[in-house]
Coordinates of all heavy atoms in Angstrom, one line a residue:
S218 N 57.3 -34.2 -114.6 CA 58.0 -33.0 -114.9 C 59.4 -32.8 -114.4 O 60.0 -31.8 -114.6 CB 57.1 -31.8 -114.5 OG 57.1 -31.7 -113.1
G220 N 60.1 -32.5 -111.3 CA 60.0 -31.5 -110.2 C 59.8 -30.1 -110.6 O 59.7 -29.2 -109.7
I221 N 59.7 -29.8 -111.9 CA 59.5 -28.5 -112.4 C 58.1 -28.1 -112.2 O 57.2 -28.8 -112.7 CB 60.0 -28.3 -113.8 CG1 61.4 -28.6 -114.0 CG2 59.6 -26.9 -114.4 CD1 61.9 -28.7 -115.4
H222 N 57.8 -27.0 -111.6 CA 56.4 -26.6 -111.4 C 56.0 -25.7 -112.6 O 56.6 -24.7 -112.8 CB 56.2 -25.8 -110.1 CG 54.8 -25.3 -109.9 ND1 53.7 -26.1 -109.7 CD2 54.3 -24.0 -110.0 CE1 52.6 -25.4 -109.6 NE2 53.0 -24.1 -109.8
L223 N 55.0 -26.1 -113.3 CA 54.5 -25.4 -114.5 C 53.3 -24.6 -114.1 O 52.3 -25.2 -113.7 CB 54.2 -26.3 -115.6 CG 55.4 -27.2 -116.1 CD1 54.9 -28.2 -117.1 CD2 56.5 -26.3 -116.6
P224 N 53.3 -23.2 -114.1 CA 52.2 -22.5 -113.7 C 50.9 -22.8 -114.5 O 51.0 -23.0 -115.7 CB 52.6 -21.0 -114.0 CG 54.1 -21.0 -114.0 CD 54.5 -22.4 -114.5
G225 N 49.8 -22.9 -113.8 CA 48.6 -23.3 -114.5 C 48.4 -24.7 -114.8 O 47.3 -25.1 -115.3
M226 N 49.3 -25.5 -114.4 CA 49.2 -27.0 -114.6 C 49.0 -27.6 -113.2 O 49.9 -27.6 -112.4 CB 50.5 -27.6 -115.2 CG 50.7 -27.1 -116.6 SD 49.6 -27.7 -117.8 CE 50.0 -29.4 -117.8
F227 N 47.8 -28.1 -112.9 CA 47.5 -28.9 -111.7 C 48.0 -28.2 -110.5 O 48.8 -28.5 -109.8 CB 48.0 -30.3 -111.9 CG 47.6 -30.9 -113.1 CD1 48.4 -31.0 -114.2 CD2 46.3 -31.3 -113.3 CE1 48.0 -31.5 -115.4 CE2 45.9 -31.9 -114.5 CZ 46.7 -32.0 -115.6

Side-chain angles (χ1 to χ4, degrees):
S218 69
I221 298 170
H222 177 71
L223 303 173
M226 295 291 291
F227 309 100

